[in-house]
Amino acid sequence: MTTTDTDGNERTNLRFLPQDQPVTGSGCDYPELIETPSGSWTADFGRFYGFVSEDEVSQFVDSQEWADLIRLANSLQRTQ
């Protein structure tokens, strides 16, 4: 998820979102907590990343760190 703060700076992070959540919107539209049977958890997954150019974004998306985050997120399973 990428948000733009009031100063125009973009911040990107991996975040848990409900499946029916729109892919665009205001940062305040996204939930801060995810409710699970075992309690409430923060929706943020990891740290925020700041990029100064599209080239930096591309380099990060091609990095091992990003691949590891995606693999971890994909390994999570919903339990009832």
Side-chain angles (χ1 to χ4, degrees):
M1 165 175 143
T2 299
T3 58
T4 304
D5 66 19
T6 55
D7 294 324
N9 300 309
E10 287 188 349
R11 299 179 348 155
T12 301
N13 79 330
L14 191 59
R15 184 179 183 91
F16 294 111
L17 294 174
Q19 195 170 10
D20 61 350
Q21 186 76 37
V23 295
T24 61
S26 174
C28 61
D29 294 337
Y30 298 109
E32 292 297 319
L33 296 173
I34 301 294
E35 297 293 330
T36 69
S38 61
S40 298
W41 299 83
T42 181
D44 288 331
F45 189 73
R47 63 187 174 95
F48 279 96
Y49 301 90
F51 302 104
V52 297
S53 68
E54 290 297 319
D55 188 47
E56 279 190 8
V57 172
S58 295
Q59 288 176 20
F60 180 70
V61 169
D62 292 336
S63 73
Q64 186 62 51
E65 181 178 2
W66 183 249
D68 291 344
L69 286 169
I70 296 299
R71 188 175 64 250
L72 176 60
N74 286 331
S75 74
L76 299 173
Q77 295 183 15
R78 181 179 178 184
T79 59
Q80 302 248 339

